[in-house]
Coordinates of all heavy atoms in Angstrom, one line a residue:
K1453 N -15.5 -195.4 -96.2 CA -14.9 -194.8 -94.9 C -13.6 -194.1 -95.2 O -12.6 -194.7 -95.6 CB -14.7 -195.9 -93.9 CG -14.1 -195.5 -92.6 CD -15.1 -195.7 -91.4 CE -14.6 -195.1 -90.2 NZ -15.1 -193.8 -89.9
P1454 N -13.6 -192.8 -95.0 CA -12.3 -192.1 -95.2 C -11.2 -192.6 -94.2 O -11.6 -192.8 -93.0 CB -12.6 -190.6 -94.9 CG -14.1 -190.5 -95.0 CD -14.6 -191.8 -94.6
D1455 N -10.0 -192.8 -94.7 CA -8.9 -193.3 -93.8 C -7.8 -192.2 -93.8 O -8.0 -191.1 -94.3 CB -8.4 -194.7 -94.3 CG -7.9 -194.6 -95.7 OD1 -7.7 -193.5 -96.2 OD2 -7.6 -195.7 -96.3
D1456 N -6.7 -192.6 -93.2 CA -5.6 -191.6 -93.0 C -5.0 -191.2 -94.4 O -4.3 -190.2 -94.5 CB -4.5 -192.2 -92.1 CG -4.9 -192.2 -90.7 OD1 -5.9 -191.5 -90.4 OD2 -4.3 -192.8 -89.8
A1457 N -5.2 -192.1 -95.4 CA -4.7 -191.7 -96.7 C -5.8 -191.0 -97.6 O -5.6 -190.9 -98.8 CB -4.3 -193.0 -97.4
S1458 N -6.8 -190.5 -96.9 CA -7.9 -189.8 -97.6 C -7.9 -188.3 -97.2 O -7.6 -188.0 -96.1 CB -9.3 -190.3 -97.2 OG -9.4 -191.7 -97.5
A1459 N -8.2 -187.5 -98.1 CA -8.3 -186.0 -97.8 C -9.6 -185.5 -98.5 O -10.0 -185.9 -99.6 CB -7.1 -185.2 -98.3
L1460 N -10.2 -184.5 -97.8 CA -11.3 -183.8 -98.3 C -10.8 -182.5 -98.8 O -10.1 -181.7 -98.1 CB -12.4 -183.5 -97.2 CG -13.6 -182.7 -97.6 CD1 -14.5 -183.5 -98.6 CD2 -14.4 -182.4 -96.4
L1461 N -11.1 -182.1 -100.1 CA -10.8 -180.8 -100.6 C -12.1 -180.0 -100.7 O -13.0 -180.4 -101.4 CB -10.2 -181.0 -102.1 CG -9.0 -181.8 -102.3 CD1 -8.5 -181.7 -103.8 CD2 -7.8 -181.3 -101.4
V1462 N -12.1 -178.9 -100.0 CA -13.3 -178.0 -99.9 C -13.0 -176.8 -100.8 O -12.1 -176.0 -100.5 CB -13.6 -177.6 -98.5 CG1 -14.7 -176.6 -98.4 CG2 -13.8 -178.8 -97.6
I1463 N -13.6 -176.8 -102.0 CA -13.3 -175.8 -103.0 C -14.1 -174.5 -102.9 O -15.4 -174.6 -103.1 CB -13.5 -176.5 -104.4 CG1 -12.7 -177.8 -104.5 CG2 -13.1 -175.5 -105.5 CD1 -11.2 -177.7 -104.5
D1464 N -13.5 -173.4 -102.7 CA -14.0 -172.1 -103.0 C -15.4 -171.8 -102.4 O -16.3 -171.2 -103.0 CB -14.1 -171.9 -104.5 CG -12.8 -171.9 -105.2 OD1 -11.7 -172.1 -104.5 OD2 -12.7 -171.6 -106.4
V1465 N -15.6 -172.2 -101.1 CA -16.8 -171.8 -100.4 C -16.6 -170.4 -99.9 O -16.4 -170.2 -98.7 CB -17.2 -172.9 -99.4 CG1 -18.5 -172.5 -98.7 CG2 -17.3 -174.3 -100.0
Q1466 N -16.7 -169.5 -100.8 CA -16.4 -168.0 -100.5 C -17.6 -167.2 -100.8 O -18.5 -167.5 -101.6 CB -15.3 -167.6 -101.5 CG -14.0 -168.3 -101.2 CD -13.0 -168.1 -102.4 OE1 -12.9 -168.9 -103.3 NE2 -12.3 -167.0 -102.4
N1467 N -17.6 -166.0 -100.1 CA -18.8 -165.2 -100.2 C -19.2 -164.8 -101.6 O -20.4 -164.7 -101.9 CB -18.6 -163.9 -99.4 CG -18.5 -164.2 -97.9 OD1 -19.0 -165.2 -97.4 ND2 -17.7 -163.4 -97.1
C1468 N -18.3 -164.6 -102.5 CA -18.7 -164.2 -103.9 C -19.5 -165.3 -104.6 O -20.3 -164.9 -105.4 CB -17.4 -163.9 -104.7 SG -16.8 -162.2 -104.6
F1469 N -19.4 -166.5 -104.1 CA -20.1 -167.6 -104.8 C -21.4 -168.0 -104.0 O -22.1 -168.9 -104.4 CB -19.2 -168.9 -104.9 CG -18.0 -168.6 -105.7 CD1 -16.7 -168.8 -105.2 CD2 -18.1 -168.2 -107.0 CE1 -15.6 -168.6 -105.9 CE2 -16.9 -168.0 -107.8 CZ -15.6 -168.2 -107.2
L1470 N -21.7 -167.2 -103.0 CA -22.8 -167.5 -102.1 C -23.9 -166.4 -102.3 O -23.6 -165.4 -103.0 CB -22.4 -167.6 -100.7 CG -21.4 -168.8 -100.4 CD1 -20.7 -168.7 -99.1 CD2 -22.2 -170.1 -100.5
P1471 N -25.1 -166.6 -101.8 CA -26.2 -165.6 -102.1 C -25.7 -164.2 -101.8 O -25.1 -164.0 -100.7 CB -27.3 -166.1 -101.2 CG -27.1 -167.6 -101.0 CD -25.6 -167.8 -101.1
G1472 N -26.0 -163.3 -102.7 CA -25.5 -161.9 -102.5 C -24.2 -161.6 -103.0 O -23.7 -160.5 -103.1
G1473 N -23.5 -162.7 -103.4 CA -22.1 -162.5 -104.0 C -22.2 -162.1 -105.4 O -23.2 -162.3 -106.1
S1474 N -21.0 -161.7 -106.0 CA -21.0 -161.2 -107.3 C -21.1 -162.3 -108.4 O -21.4 -162.1 -109.5 CB -19.7 -160.4 -107.6 OG -18.6 -161.2 -107.3
L1475 N -20.7 -163.5 -108.0 CA -20.8 -164.7 -108.9 C -21.6 -165.8 -108.1 O -21.1 -166.9 -108.0 CB -19.4 -165.1 -109.4 CG -19.3 -166.2 -110.4 CD1 -20.3 -166.2 -111.5 CD2 -17.9 -166.2 -110.9
A1476 N -22.7 -165.4 -107.6 CA -23.5 -166.4 -106.7 C -23.9 -167.6 -107.5 O -24.4 -167.5 -108.6 CB -24.7 -165.7 -106.2
V1477 N -23.6 -168.8 -106.9 CA -24.0 -170.1 -107.5 C -25.3 -170.4 -106.9 O -25.5 -170.4 -105.7 CB -22.9 -171.1 -107.2 CG1 -23.3 -172.5 -107.7 CG2 -21.5 -170.7 -107.6
K1478 N -26.2 -170.8 -107.8 CA -27.6 -171.1 -107.4 C -27.6 -172.2 -106.2 O -26.9 -173.2 -106.4 CB -28.4 -171.6 -108.5 CG -29.9 -171.8 -108.2 CD -30.7 -172.1 -109.5 CE -32.2 -172.2 -109.2 NZ -32.5 -173.3 -108.3
D1479 N -28.2 -171.9 -105.1 CA -28.3 -172.8 -104.0 C -26.9 -173.1 -103.4 O -26.8 -174.1 -102.7 CB -29.0 -174.1 -104.3 CG -30.4 -173.9 -104.8 OD1 -31.1 -172.9 -104.3 OD2 -30.9 -174.7 -105.7
G1480 N -26.0 -172.3 -103.7 CA -24.6 -172.5 -103.2 C -24.5 -172.7 -101.7 O -23.7 -173.5 -101.2
E1481 N -25.4 -172.0 -100.9 CA -25.3 -172.0 -99.5 C -25.6 -173.4 -99.0 O -25.3 -173.8 -97.8 CB -26.2 -170.9 -98.8 CG -27.7 -171.2 -98.9 CD -28.3 -171.0 -100.2 OE1 -27.6 -170.7 -101.2 OE2 -29.6 -171.3 -100.3
Q1482 N -26.4 -174.2 -99.8 CA -26.8 -175.5 -99.3 C -25.6 -176.5 -99.2 O -25.8 -177.5 -98.5 CB -27.8 -176.1 -100.3 CG -29.1 -175.3 -100.2 CD -30.2 -175.8 -101.2 OE1 -30.1 -176.9 -101.6 NE2 -31.2 -175.0 -101.4
V1483 N -24.5 -176.2 -99.7 CA -23.4 -177.1 -99.6 C -22.7 -177.0 -98.2 O -22.1 -177.9 -97.7 CB -22.3 -176.9 -100.6 CG1 -22.8 -177.0 -102.0 CG2 -21.5 -175.6 -100.4
V1484 N -23.0 -175.9 -97.5 CA -22.2 -175.6 -96.3 C -22.5 -176.7 -95.2 O -21.6 -177.3 -94.6 CB -22.4 -174.2 -95.8 CG1 -21.7 -173.9 -94.4 CG2 -21.8 -173.2 -96.8
P1485 N -23.8 -176.9 -94.8 CA -24.0 -177.9 -93.8 C -23.6 -179.3 -94.2 O -23.1 -180.1 -93.3 CB -25.5 -177.9 -93.6 CG -26.1 -177.1 -94.7 CD -25.0 -176.2 -95.3
V1486 N -23.7 -179.6 -95.4 CA -23.2 -181.0 -95.9 C -21.7 -181.1 -95.7 O -21.2 -182.1 -95.2 CB -23.6 -181.2 -97.4 CG1 -23.2 -182.6 -97.8 CG2 -25.1 -181.0 -97.6
I1487 N -21.0 -180.0 -96.1 CA -19.5 -180.1 -96.0 C -19.1 -180.1 -94.5 O -18.2 -180.8 -94.2 CB -18.9 -178.8 -96.8 CG1 -19.1 -179.0 -98.3 CG2 -17.5 -178.7 -96.4 CD1 -18.7 -177.8 -99.1
N1488 N -19.8 -179.3 -93.7 CA -19.4 -179.3 -92.3 C -19.6 -180.7 -91.7 O -18.7 -181.1 -90.9 CB -20.3 -178.3 -91.5 CG -19.9 -176.8 -91.8 OD1 -18.8 -176.6 -92.3 ND2 -20.8 -175.9 -91.5
R1489 N -20.6 -181.3 -92.1 CA -20.9 -182.7 -91.6 C -19.9 -183.7 -92.0 O -19.3 -184.4 -91.2 CB -22.3 -183.2 -92.0 CG -22.7 -184.5 -91.4 CD -24.2 -184.8 -91.7 NE -24.4 -184.9 -93.1 CZ -24.1 -186.0 -93.9 NH1 -23.5 -187.0 -93.3 NH2 -24.4 -186.0 -95.1
I1490 N -19.6 -183.8 -93.3 CA -18.7 -184.8 -93.8 C -17.2 -184.5 -93.4 O -16.4 -185.4 -93.1 CB -18.8 -185.0 -95.3 CG1 -18.4 -183.8 -96.1 CG2 -20.1 -185.6 -95.7 CD1 -18.4 -184.1 -97.7

Side-chain angles (χ1 to χ4, degrees):
K1453 179 117 188 95
D1455 60 11
D1456 284 348
S1458 305
L1460 177 67
L1461 300 185
V1462 179
I1463 305 296
D1464 296 3
V1465 184
Q1466 293 167 266
N1467 294 333
C1468 273
F1469 300 120
L1470 293 166
S1474 60
L1475 182 42
V1477 179
K1478 187 172 183 296
D1479 299 329
E1481 76 286 1
Q1482 294 181 16
V1483 306
V1484 175
V1486 182
I1487 290 172
N1488 286 343
R1489 184 174 62 76
I1490 63 176

